[in-house]
Amino acid sequence: MQNKPCKIQQAKMGNRAITTIFLFGACVLTTLAQGPVKNSLNSNVHAKARIDMSAIASTLPDTLHLPFFDDFAYNGPNPIDSLWQDDDVFINNTFTNNQITRGVATFDHLDANGTPYNFLSRFASSRSDTLTSQCINLSNDRDLNNYSISDSIYLSFYVQTGGLGDVPEAGDSLLLQFKNAIGDWTTVWNITGNVASIFTQYFIAIDNADYLFNTFQFRFINYVKNSGNMNHFHLDYVELNEDRSVNEARARAIAFAREPKGLLAPYSILPYDHFLVNPTAYMSTSSNREFYMRNNSQNATALVLYDVEAKDEQNTSIYSFLATNASNIPPQSSLVKTIDGFSLAGLTGDTPIITTKYTFLPNSTLTYDSIEQQVYNNFNNNSVEKITRFHHYYAYDDGSAEVGYALDYSGLPSGPGYTVVGFNLAKTDTLQGVDIHFNRAFEEVGNRPIKIQFWADIANGPGKADTLIYELEAVPTYVNGRNGFARFELDTLIILPAGEFFVGWQQNSDFKINVGWDENYDQLNTNIYYNLVGNWAPLPSGFNGTLMIRPLIGKPIIPIVSVDKLDAIIEFNVYPNPSNGNVNINGKEPIQYQIFNLTGKLIMQSMEGKMEHSLQLFKKGIYICLVSNHKGSSTRKIIIK
């Protein structure tokens, strides 16, 4: 019997089906909840956030004055330096879908490089992300009038727990701290667990004169399981200002609320010469060409005009539209609009890029208060850009892993388990390899052997048979940088005919490989299949999303990432390789090493951080060398003849 996959809810571990598929992030088991532990709450990764600025901030020219405001409606992945001191949180517009303006700051257990703060552990918790404001002058205003408690200074912000990512558990928390004049931090607010399933606004008063000095700061900190990309808190719309009241109904009247959808479908990216085989087939339908504007006013209907323009890399307009009639947006509601389809044929180069800019124009009858004019409009919230790109690979995903995917044997004996993603090649071309994002969450599996496999066909229907065309031995590889892709290149190029083919992996034992899963692919990807008990099955209904697996087609390309800059992975050499057993490992900086056989058994290791390691392997065969340091880990294959 083929058992069905499931999305795992917290506190439902006892009711698993025999064969399941995990999505780490949308929902997760409490008892399985989060990875390796290093119990120090004062890890040096937070050194920047913990510098006491009180002694020096008065000499800084950029000490801030009220009002302080950030709605994170800008391209991340880091907070802007003019407002914040540290880079731990992830600025994005993919982890939530009902924010009041586009852009949120996501707290998890990954640092700015996408590396867990401590070794992943299911059971231990620790301090993780910190978001610290720059110094703010609460001693006096710009006219040198002294502030007092009677000035009604409030800090407000919105928080959502989970979103499209992982719901925090009961022991996970987000807290807010204020710093006083002698440099002490005091916790003034906190939440635990899943208490804000939708964005909820909180107001905190500056009600103590100890905070009325010229280098005041506030900071948010999350304490979560050592789980990597899990247990998410999302922060939005942070405002600190005077003359406020609790729960005042004030927010930017109109704003873009979500990322616009792309121009292509079903793929987000594909080779341009493949697109040109049948451009109409790869253009998104009207339901996928949507963009979203929101009216955050409590009781006033907003009237807006809008325009849309798409340009190529030469800044030449290839599409434009200007609305001539204003649209009504009821209070506390969103307006969804759809742009027309337009041709993408005739672009120059083999990897063209199209930038589509959406802009709304508030009708002149809309009233803005002084805060709107003074603060909110300083941010570019009235326009948003969506990039459409072509490249030498096929991709369904948008480059952001809100969740991780894995097979769960759930009591089945060790044996082969498979997952594949189907692609439909537009024309005959060469297969170069595959990029895979391994989501760093739950547990480290960088030492577990897998096979990356390419299939011409699988036996998923009548008259079909498994036809494996290539496989390579590998281990999951974590790439520094958020949402970085590990590249697996073929030793021999393969000519693939036009039509369907499949890419995926085989594992031989029960471990959670945790491949990146894009929740913003908001439909069931019917081209994903899994096999644990001898036959292939599609994902069941309700499993909306897609795997972050990208086959490389046509020309060789340099490594890429999808969301932000990829930091270099650990550089090291293994030589001679192949060898008779005497092996040297040389790094460009101090490294530790572990050697595993292809069953995943640890053969030897050295936890001493050195530039050069020498070792001897006596048995012929293939081994996996895992090196690591403070930046992360990398692997190489070692062959002993």
Side-chain angles (χ1 to χ4, degrees):
M1 179 182 69
Q2 182 71 57
N3 297 288
K4 294 182 179 180
C6 65
K7 284 189 177 181
I8 299 171
Q9 304 291 335
Q10 302 211 18
K12 288 189 178 179
M13 182 177 180
N15 297 320
R16 284 188 308 210
I18 293 176
T19 303
T20 60
I21 293 175
F22 277 77
L23 286 186
F24 295 99
C27 328
V28 202
L29 295 168
T30 300
T31 48
L32 296 178
Q34 344 313 333
V37 48
K38 183 177 176 186
N39 288 321
S40 169
L41 300 185
N42 295 296
S43 171
N44 62 7
V45 296
H46 287 292
K48 181 180 177 185
R50 293 194 174 91
I51 295 174
D52 184 358
M53 298 291 291
S54 59
I56 63 173
S58 60
T59 67
L60 297 178
D62 58 349
T63 298
L64 304 177
H65 292 265
L66 296 182
F68 178 104
F69 175 76
D70 195 2
D71 67 351
F72 310 107
Y74 44 82
N75 294 327
N78 301 322
I80 56 177
D81 292 338
S82 60
L83 295 178
W84 308 101
Q85 285 190 358
D86 28 43
D87 294 334
D88 298 348
V89 298
F90 179 34
I91 307 302
N92 69 90
N93 201 43
T94 60
F95 273 72
T96 61
N97 61 8
N98 67 346
Q99 60 268 34
I100 63 171
T101 66
R102 64 180 294 268
V104 298
T106 295
F107 291 73
D108 52 24
H109 183 66
L110 299 175
D111 65 18
N113 292 320
T115 304
Y117 289 106
N118 300 303
F119 291 112
L120 297 180
S121 166
R122 304 176 185 180
F123 310 108
S125 298
S126 64
R127 174 174 172 170
S128 298
D129 288 339
T130 302
L131 182 63
T132 309
S133 74
Q134 295 289 3
C135 296
I136 305 168
N137 189 342
L138 293 189
S139 175
N140 47 60
D141 62 22
R142 294 179 187 272
D143 296 324
L144 299 182
N145 296 312
N146 291 333
Y147 285 121
S148 68
I149 297 301
S150 62
D151 287 315
S152 294
I153 302 174
Y154 279 88
L155 176 69
S156 65
F157 50 90
Y158 284 81
V159 171
Q160 183 187 39
T161 49
L164 295 180
D166 179 44
V167 174
E169 299 183 57
D172 300 322
S173 62
L174 177 70
L175 56 88
L176 168 67
Q177 295 182 334
F178 288 168
K179 189 186 72 174
N180 63 23
I182 62 173
D184 293 335
W185 291 92
T186 301
T187 298
V188 295
W189 171 91
N190 73 89
I191 58 172
T192 59
N194 186 30
V195 301
S197 58
I198 62 173
F199 273 99
T200 304
Q201 190 172 29
Y202 298 91
F203 284 78
I204 309 299
I206 305 294
D207 56 3
N208 188 324
D210 289 345
Y211 302 132
L212 300 180
F213 67 107
N214 63 346
T215 57
F216 169 78
Q217 289 176 278
F218 64 91
R219 68 184 181 187
F220 295 91
I221 306 172
N222 68 324
Y223 287 83
V224 296
K225 296 289 190 304
N226 297 341
S227 55
N229 185 26
M230 295 176 72
N231 299 309
H232 298 118
F233 293 92
H234 311 290
L235 176 71
D236 197 10
Y237 223 82
V238 180
E239 180 184 352
L240 178 67
N241 206 359
E242 61 178 321
D243 298 327
R244 305 186 66 188
S245 60
V246 175
N247 300 324
E248 64 187 359
R250 186 168 69 195
R252 180 179 174 82
I254 311 171
F256 284 102
R258 296 168 56 186
E259 201 76 10
K261 291 192 175 181
L263 302 178
L264 303 177
Y267 306 110
S268 60
I269 304 173
L270 76 160
Y272 189 53
D273 57 340
H274 288 229
F275 170 82
L276 292 177
V277 171
N278 188 356
T280 304
Y282 298 111
M283 291 295 292
S284 60
T285 61
S286 60
S287 62
N288 286 331
R289 296 194 299 269
E290 297 173 345
F291 62 101
Y292 314 88
M293 296 174 286
R294 179 175 172 81
N295 177 10
N296 290 308
S297 173
Q298 295 293 314
N299 49 33
T301 295
L303 301 176
V304 296
L305 297 170
Y306 62 89
D307 66 59
V308 182
E309 185 170 26
K311 294 183 178 182
D312 62 16
E313 290 176 275
Q314 288 71 43
N315 205 36
T316 301
S317 179
I318 60 176
Y319 170 83
S320 63
F321 174 84
L322 173 63
T324 57
N325 296 315
S327 298
N328 292 329
I329 312 179
Q332 295 291 293
S333 299
S334 294
L335 175 69
V336 180
K337 287 292 185 179
T338 301
I339 66 171
D340 301 325
F342 57 93
S343 175
L344 297 181
L347 301 174
T348 59
D350 60 355
T351 57
I353 296 174
I354 303 95
T355 301
T356 307
K357 185 174 183 178
Y358 305 79
T359 305
F360 68 78
L361 308 168
N363 186 279
S364 59
T365 61
L366 187 67
T367 300
Y368 289 88
D369 64 21
S370 60
I371 297 301
E372 278 273 329
Q373 297 168 358
Q374 180 182 8
V375 185
Y376 305 146
N377 290 338
N378 290 335
F379 289 80
N380 191 24
N381 290 332
N382 68 330
S383 66
V384 60
E385 293 183 345
K386 181 70 174 181
I387 304 297
T388 300
R389 67 180 71 246
F390 296 91
H391 220 301
H392 301 299
Y393 57 88
Y394 278 76
Y396 292 106
D397 66 274
D398 68 0
S400 176
E402 291 74 42
V403 184
Y405 167 101
L407 291 171
D408 175 30
Y409 282 57
S410 293
L412 291 174
S414 291
Y418 308 84
T419 295
V420 296
V421 185
F423 299 86
N424 204 306
L425 210 61
K427 68 175 190 174
T428 299
D429 212 332
T430 56
L431 175 65
Q432 303 274 339
V434 64
D435 284 344
I436 303 176
H437 171 63
F438 292 99
N439 185 46
R440 202 151 191 187
F442 190 67
E443 63 178 313
E444 299 278 4
V445 295
N447 62 336
R448 307 301 293 267
I450 60 173
K451 292 181 180 179
I452 305 296
Q453 296 180 321
F454 303 85
W455 304 75
D457 202 2
I458 60 172
N460 61 333
K464 304 188 72 176
D466 290 338
T467 307
L468 182 67
I469 56 177
Y470 192 90
E471 66 180 17
L472 56 91
E473 304 281 352
V475 294
T477 302
Y478 300 118
V479 178
N480 280 1
R482 290 185 180 272
N483 298 299
F485 282 79
R487 175 149 299 170
F488 300 90
E489 297 179 339
L490 276 58
D491 295 331
T492 303
L493 299 185
I494 295 174
I495 305 298
L496 286 178
E500 195 172 34
F501 71 101
F502 299 85
V503 184
W505 74 89
Q506 173 190 334
Q507 62 188 83
N508 291 320
S509 59
D510 183 9
F511 64 90
K512 310 302 182 295
I513 191 172
N514 214 334
V515 172
W517 182 268
D518 173 21
E519 285 278 299
N520 289 287
Y521 189 94
D522 57 359
Q523 56 189 307
L524 177 69
N525 189 333
T526 57
N527 296 306
I528 300 176
Y529 295 85
Y530 71 102
N531 183 342
L532 265 174
V533 291
N535 55 77
W536 295 98
L539 297 181
S541 60
F543 239 70
N544 291 358
T546 193
L547 284 166
M548 295 172 66
I549 294 179
R550 301 174 166 185
L552 310 177
I553 302 296
K555 294 181 180 180
I557 55 178
I558 61 174
I560 61 169
V561 293
S562 54
V563 171
D564 54 306
K565 182 180 177 182
L566 170 62
D567 294 331
I569 60 176
I570 300 173
E571 297 185 38
F572 73 101
N573 295 314
V574 176
Y575 63 93
N577 191 25
S579 76
N580 61 5
N582 294 308
V583 180
N584 298 299
I585 305 171
N586 178 263
K588 291 190 175 182
E589 54 189 315
I591 54 175
Q592 305 166 339
Y593 76 83
Q594 293 176 290
I595 307 296
F596 300 87
N597 65 18
L598 290 183
T599 68
K601 180 180 179 181
L602 179 64
I603 303 300
M604 64 175 62
Q605 65 180 333
S606 172
M607 304 314 291
E608 182 181 1
K610 299 191 301 183
M611 303 280 285
E612 182 86 25
H613 297 268
S614 297
L615 58 106
Q616 187 170 16
L617 295 166
F618 296 98
K619 189 175 181 180
K620 295 180 180 179
I622 298 175
Y623 299 84
I624 302 298
C625 174
L626 173 71
V627 302
S628 59
N629 62 15
H630 65 287
K631 289 185 176 180
S633 62
S634 295
T635 59
R636 293 284 191 281
K637 184 188 300 182
I638 297 177
I639 301 174
I640 305 301
K641 292 184 175 179

